[in-house]
Amino acid sequence: MATSISEIALTPAAAARVATIAERQNKPAILRLSVEGGGCSGFQYKFGLADAPADDDMVAQTDGVRLVVDSISLDLVRGAQVDYVESLGGAAFQVKNPNAASGCGCGTSFSV
């Protein structure tokens, strides 16, 4: 059974973007954040829409949109905030991770 948490947060801007994408794809407004080995700094963030939370997922909710994180990835992103940022360089989901000792310039990978 998925567990609700406050150990990770989804900003209102990120929630609005997920809702828009999910509506266009006719999917539930559930964003999955996971961490994989690789990237230029050691670990990389992976985002995707999920159909439903898995049994071992931790769930955070903002404005009716859910952010789900598996229990293994949660150890690397606990306390983080997922935001959606638009700038001259483009638009992207961004993770503000207090556990990251360093990161790459593009913000998609980190080390602990």
Side-chain angles (χ1 to χ4, degrees):
M1 172 191 245
T3 305
S4 292
I5 60 166
S6 60
E7 297 173 284
I8 189 162
L10 185 66
T11 67
R17 185 63 182 157
V18 171
T20 299
I21 293 169
E23 183 177 344
R24 285 184 190 159
Q25 295 186 12
N26 199 27
K27 291 191 162 232
I30 303 172
L31 179 66
R32 175 168 298 285
L33 168 63
S34 58
V35 176
E36 298 179 345
C40 49
S41 293
F43 293 103
Q44 61 186 356
Y45 302 112
K46 182 177 176 188
F47 293 100
L49 290 178
D51 292 323
D55 288 344
D56 72 333
D57 282 341
M58 302 301 161
V59 180
Q61 188 164 323
T62 301
D63 299 335
V65 175
R66 291 182 282 177
L67 171 65
V68 295
V69 181
D70 65 88
S71 58
I72 294 171
S73 296
L74 182 63
D75 286 340
L76 296 167
V77 296
R78 184 172 275 118
Q81 181 181 56
V82 177
D83 196 7
Y84 182 73
V85 179
E86 295 183 50
S87 68
L88 291 174
F93 288 102
Q94 183 178 77
V95 180
K96 297 175 184 169
N97 187 350
N99 303 304
S102 65
C104 67
C106 63
T108 60
S109 67
F110 67 101
S111 66
V112 289

